[in-house]
Amino acid sequence: MPKISHRRKRALPGEHRTILFVRDPRDALYSEWKRQCINAEGFNLSFEQFAKGPFLNQPYSYLQYLKQFLQDWREELANTSHLILRFEDYRTAPEGTLSSALDYFSLHRSTNQIADALRASDFHIGKAIETKRRESGKLRTQLYRAGIPLEYKHSFTPDMLALFSPDFDSLFEWLGYEII
């Protein structure tokens, strides 16, 4: 039975075939900062301040947490059956990315079933549900931002990029992302 989690693999009991679905760490952190800018009352930190600031009142920063989270996954997956799928690939080639996941689990679906699944998971459907829940008062925060693949390439300043290099370089390489 598939399980979806934001937890580290070691927090999931037993041996599992694992798909790690990742987003470029630069974009993942940038997206979280943008959500905080929208949702947190009185939030006025620059990206750099946010990245270096405490992660949920912990003794480590958002940047340190993200790095450790990915290092832990790399260590956990080193000797296990796994597949890494990237958000950017899903956004640019959803059929191929979904087919890779299905093939990994030896699940065979028709082209129509795959197309139906992709339509059902379209960003606009989730955004419409979120908007309806926010308007009804059942949801206070905005989660959906349209997730632009490799957004950092046109949004980051040199100082923002410098936060990740060289500390994340081996993680970028492991995940197949460009080292800048």
Side-chain angles (χ1 to χ4, degrees):
M1 175 62 113
K3 294 184 187 232
I4 298 172
S5 175
H6 280 95
R7 293 182 287 175
R8 294 181 175 137
K9 188 174 188 301
R10 71 180 121 207
L12 303 171
E15 286 295 316
H16 306 283
R17 296 186 79 205
T18 302
I19 293 178
L20 179 63
F21 191 82
V22 297
R23 186 171 185 189
D24 186 297
R26 293 162 284 217
D27 284 342
L29 192 58
Y30 185 73
S31 186
E32 178 59 24
W33 174 68
K34 294 295 267 183
R35 276 192 296 277
Q36 294 292 330
C37 289
I38 293 166
N39 294 318
E41 191 173 317
F43 185 87
N44 61 357
L45 298 177
S46 69
F47 177 78
E48 293 90 334
Q49 290 169 324
F50 171 76
K52 293 177 182 178
F55 175 76
L56 303 176
N57 298 313
Q58 297 298 315
Y60 41 82
S61 70
Y62 275 88
L63 200 59
Q64 290 168 323
Y65 174 79
L66 179 59
K67 180 182 172 191
Q68 189 62 55
F69 181 84
L70 292 170
Q71 286 174 329
D72 288 350
W73 271 103
R74 180 173 55 187
E75 182 180 313
E76 290 289 326
L77 295 176
N79 297 309
T80 63
S81 176
H82 69 279
L83 175 65
I84 296 174
L85 295 178
R86 300 179 333 157
F87 167 83
E88 297 78 11
D89 299 329
Y90 182 75
R91 291 294 296 227
T92 58
E95 296 87 357
T97 305
L98 180 54
S99 292
S100 293
L102 292 170
D103 290 347
Y104 177 72
F105 287 122
S106 299
L107 299 171
H108 304 286
R109 299 295 183 262
S110 72
T111 303
N112 287 341
Q113 288 173 310
I114 291 172
D116 289 346
L118 292 173
R119 275 191 296 280
S121 67
D122 182 80
F123 161 80
H124 296 95
I125 292 172
K127 182 66 174 169
I129 292 168
E130 177 187 77
T131 299
K132 186 176 179 180
R133 294 196 70 209
R134 288 184 74 205
E135 288 170 354
S136 72
K138 293 180 182 176
L139 181 65
R140 292 188 343 212
T141 59
Q142 178 180 334
L143 302 173
Y144 286 87
R145 284 193 50 251
I148 301 166
L150 305 175
E151 186 173 13
Y152 78 89
K153 287 189 172 192
H154 61 84
S155 299
F156 273 32
T157 65
D159 287 342
M160 293 163 77
L161 282 171
L163 293 169
F164 293 89
S165 186
D167 293 345
F168 278 74
D169 288 357
S170 70
L171 293 167
F172 292 146
E173 184 176 2
W174 172 61
L175 297 170
Y177 290 115
E178 181 179 10
I179 298 170
I180 297 179

